[in-house]
Amino acid sequence: MLVTLIKVGLVMHEYFPSKYFKYILIGALLVVVGKMLIHFIRGIAFPKTEWLINQYREAYERFLCPICEYPIRTGPRKYLFWTRRSVTKLKVPGDGSSQEESYTCPACGTGLFDKCSGCQSIRHALLPHCAHCGKKNEIEVSPSQS
Ligand SMILES: [Zn+2]
Ligand SMILES: [Zn+2]
């Protein structure tokens, strides 16, 4: 990777006058440093678990598996197809009533809806609270996810 960069740099140096080359280099450096800074600030603002729960929440809102983005096809959505973008335009037949049975993502095998240990209702397995009784579950951050 570094070798390619140096090669590209040398080629660019040949074709562009060094005055412009300097600006291009500075510009590229600024972009890289800026990106690192944003990454760093985000790390402070959202600790990993919170960030993860946020991702999960957004995925559940779109009826997509939080782990692999495979559509959560249950109830009236069983025969529909949607993506992250098209989910808001989706016309769901019936009342689109909420989840009533436990559900595992067929693509990656993650349990998405489970029985609550507090009230035996079906709850979001990857969100911290049960929607029915509010019982809190600890969300484990698996080390395989970065
Ligand atoms: Zn999945
Ligand atoms: Zn519950």
Side-chain angles (χ1 to χ4, degrees), residues 62 64 81-91:
R62 292 179 169 93
L64 295 173
F81 176 80
W82 65 96
T83 62
R84 185 182 274 270
R85 278 200 194 129
S86 69
V87 65
T88 48
K89 291 174 224 147
L90 198 68
K91 285 188 179 66

Side-chain angles (χ1 to χ4, degrees), residues 14-109:
E14 248 174 64
Y15 287 95
F16 295 101
S18 57
K19 201 168 73 176
Y20 295 116
F21 181 70
K22 213 186 279 171
Y23 290 130
I24 291 168
L25 203 70
I26 289 170
L29 264 175
L30 277 179
V31 169
V32 169
V33 169
K35 275 196 176 165
M36 275 165 68
L37 210 67
I38 288 169
H39 192 77
F40 185 66
I41 290 168
R42 269 199 194 144
I44 294 172
F46 298 100
K48 200 168 176 197
T49 311
E50 250 170 69
W51 177 84
L52 207 65
I53 289 170
N54 212 38
Q55 296 289 105
Y56 289 170
R57 206 179 67 188
E58 277 180 25
Y60 271 118
E61 268 166 23
R62 292 179 169 93
F63 298 94
L64 295 173
C65 171
I67 307 298
C68 71
E69 292 212 349
Y70 189 81
I72 301 173
R73 289 201 172 90
T74 56
R77 293 172 178 264
K78 202 165 213 161
Y79 303 108
L80 300 177
F81 176 80
W82 65 96
T83 62
R84 185 182 274 270
R85 278 200 194 129
S86 69
V87 65
T88 48
K89 291 174 224 147
L90 198 68
K91 285 188 179 66
V92 179
D95 59 356
S97 64
S98 61
Q99 186 62 36
E100 293 303 336
E101 53 189 15
S102 60
Y103 183 84
T104 301
C105 173
C108 68

Side-chain angles (χ1 to χ4, degrees), residues 116 118-120 130 132-135:
C116 172
C119 67
Q120 308 302 312
C130 170
H132 303 282
C133 69
K135 186 178 193 303

